[in-house]
Amino acid sequence: MPARDALSVVFAALADPTRRAILTHLQQGPSTAGDVAAPFAMSRSAISQHLKVLEDAGLIERTVTAQWRTCVLRTEPLDEVATWVDSHRRLWDERFDLLDERLRQLRERQGEAP
């Protein structure tokens, strides 16, 4: 399997609704793995797998202190996603503006009101 770039790994992690819900929970602050798992009707093993995917994507950091495993949100990968989306949004907006202008010109040629 070819190596995937960091942006692809983040998008793949964000593709799952459970993982997005975990990130939303972690916006409130650091949580233990048990607190993260509490609202979900799935095994701790399944939650652990989701946490592993998020950690591999750099979206969370897990620390172990004595018997406590704490999860902390990391926003840097989300900043990279936002930068990528913004750059593409500008391109898409420009193309839609050009399309709007072209449609306006076609309507004017056909005698339609704008």
Side-chain angles (χ1 to χ4, degrees), residues 26-95:
L26 291 174
Q27 286 177 335
Q28 299 169 9
S31 291
T32 64
D35 289 340
V36 168
F40 300 101
M42 61 179 66
S43 69
R44 293 231 180 191
S45 175
I47 290 294
S48 182
Q49 290 174 356
H50 283 295
L51 292 174
K52 176 75 171 128
V53 170
L54 292 170
E55 185 177 30
D56 289 346
L59 291 164
I60 68 167
E61 184 176 324
R62 292 196 287 181
T63 59
V64 178
T65 306
Q67 73 272 22
W68 303 105
R69 299 185 194 289
T70 304
C71 302
V72 178
L73 179 66
R74 292 189 64 239
T75 59
E76 296 87 354
L78 295 174
D79 294 339
E80 293 173 26
V81 168
T83 299
W84 184 88
V85 168
D86 286 343
S87 69
H88 284 78
R89 180 182 293 136
R90 281 191 297 276
L91 175 66
W92 300 329
D93 286 345
E94 289 172 10
R95 288 183 180 174

Side-chain angles (χ1 to χ4, degrees), residues 102-114:
R102 181 68 179 136
L103 290 173
R104 187 189 61 72
Q105 290 171 356
L106 289 172
R107 284 187 194 113
E108 285 178 359
R109 284 187 194 153
Q110 295 174 352
E112 295 179 13

